[in-house]
Amino acid sequence: MQYQTRLFRQTTLMILAALLLCSCSLTSPAVSPTTTVTLPTTSEHWFAKDVPLPSTVDFYQLSATQQQLFLSYFNDPAQAALPAHQRLYRYLESNLANFNYEGRNTLASDTMTNMSGNCTSLALLVTALAKLVDVDVGYRASHAEPMLDFSANIVLSSAHVRSYLFEPRQEIDDSLMILQRSAIAVDYFPGRLDRLGSMLKAARFEAMIYNNLAADALVAGDLDRAYWLSRAALQRDASYSPSINLIAILYRRKGDLLASQQWYEFGMLHTSQPITLAGNYLVLAEQMQNQPLIDRLNQKLPALDEDNPYVWFYLAYQAEQRHHQSAAIIYYQKLLQKAPYLHKANLALAKLQFQQGDDSAARQSLTQALQYSYEPKNRALYQAKLDALQRPKQPGK
């Protein structure tokens, strides 16, 4: 287990700036979790109601023994000179050194017991400990290079989250305005290609937890539990796109295509991150053979944008698998405008451009792939393909 740590006064200024930019954005501002939004009233007879769900209190609940172990360390006189957020981080550093990353979503108590979990499991444990000693915790989305995994023509993606432990608030002269607050970042194996997204309010973070649990239930085939966990997520944040998307998928799995369409339309109207949702909506439109809807979505998708550039990777791959080469080219280009270092995307784009007879564009894409690749095997492959494209064509061939 590794953590990314910084005592970063300059970085906290960047976080505040990001918050200000989000609040002033004129392009698809996020709906506040406190905004009243009426969810679609689709029939719920498909889903059994007697499904026990964790409460948000359960998310952060630690046993009496776990609490005492932490508080004994935190209150030890040897730590007394350190501010609270640093004492908490030292506990994490010393006690979670052998923490095992697993792709399972676990709540705080189980995470501490098993010393394993994923990034949201870690964030829940960090928050549970912070609540015991009144340390402020913040969350920020972080987007990693995707590993493509498709099932039944449905695109599912998950967000990574980074936690921040903030220094204690200080009383200051009202005449002074200080926008600076030190913090420590806690994260799993941050990759060099990870891109930081927006800060998350607590309600959205808790919606993310419910959504992750719902995705686990979907993978396990428990559609009833997946549905009610998704609804619980939307009670915390009615505009949370992944949960809207998941409910639409569940109705599609049940064969209620009209209800699925209602949820997709709701999501397109109310969420600020509709790209993955719109991609899955396009799959539904094609299943319904609704050509006007297909045309509308194909026109709308290239104009969309969001924090996570990697969503275009999913759509490009999806379009390529369905032999929609022109759409795939557009999506790869959208991705590479923000993440030109994804040399595998450059290679995929070059292949499509070559197939469409645009050798010049294919050469440019391969040149960029070569520029950003470092492994000798990849560089040799890209150079060989580039050399082949640069050879003069033989007459008659």
Side-chain angles (χ1 to χ4, degrees), residues 127-275:
T127 306
L129 296 173
K131 285 177 176 290
L132 293 176
V133 290
D134 294 325
V135 170
D136 289 339
V137 180
Y139 313 98
R140 190 171 193 175
S142 177
H143 309 300
E145 181 179 358
M147 297 181 65
L148 298 178
D149 184 13
F150 289 81
S151 175
N153 281 332
I154 294 173
V155 183
L156 290 174
S157 61
S158 60
H160 181 74
V161 65
R162 177 175 298 178
S163 305
Y164 293 89
L165 301 173
F166 287 98
E167 70 176 350
R169 296 184 183 273
Q170 298 179 4
E171 296 295 331
I172 60 172
D173 189 328
D174 289 341
S175 64
L176 299 176
M177 185 177 71
I178 299 178
L179 296 179
Q180 183 172 299
R181 195 176 178 198
S182 177
I184 305 173
V186 183
D187 198 0
Y188 274 117
F189 308 110
R192 64 183 180 84
L193 301 184
D194 288 0
R195 295 172 63 97
L196 289 177
S198 59
M199 295 295 291
L200 305 175
K201 293 183 179 180
R204 174 145 294 191
F205 171 67
E206 290 177 349
M208 180 186 296
I209 302 301
Y210 275 121
N211 183 75
N212 285 0
L213 295 173
D216 287 347
L218 175 63
V219 171
D222 191 344
L223 303 192
D224 297 331
R225 183 171 177 79
Y227 177 80
W228 292 111
L229 285 165
S230 299
R231 291 299 300 243
L234 295 179
Q235 289 176 3
R236 300 297 296 135
D237 183 351
S239 66
Y240 189 52
S241 176
S243 293
I244 298 169
N245 188 33
L246 191 47
I247 289 176
I249 288 171
L250 290 168
Y251 274 108
R252 180 178 171 228
R253 287 277 183 94
K254 292 290 188 178
D256 193 340
L257 303 189
L258 292 179
S260 179
Q261 183 176 11
Q262 281 183 260
W263 280 93
Y264 280 127
E265 287 291 341
F266 170 81
M268 297 295 290
L269 180 63
H270 290 290
T271 181
S272 63
Q273 297 180 316
I275 296 177

Side-chain angles (χ1 to χ4, degrees), residues 330-377:
I330 291 173
Y331 300 148
Y332 277 126
Q333 289 172 335
K334 293 273 288 186
L335 167 66
L336 291 166
Q337 285 174 4
K338 289 191 173 183
Y341 44 79
L342 290 179
H343 52 88
K344 293 180 181 179
N346 275 296
L347 177 62
L349 176 59
K351 177 183 176 182
L352 292 172
Q353 291 166 330
F354 176 75
Q355 290 173 352
Q356 293 204 338
D358 194 344
D359 291 3
S360 175
R363 283 193 293 270
Q364 291 178 3
S365 296
L366 284 171
T367 300
Q368 185 158 290
L370 191 60
Q371 176 184 352
Y372 287 103
S373 61
Y374 300 98
E375 295 182 6
K377 181 179 179 180

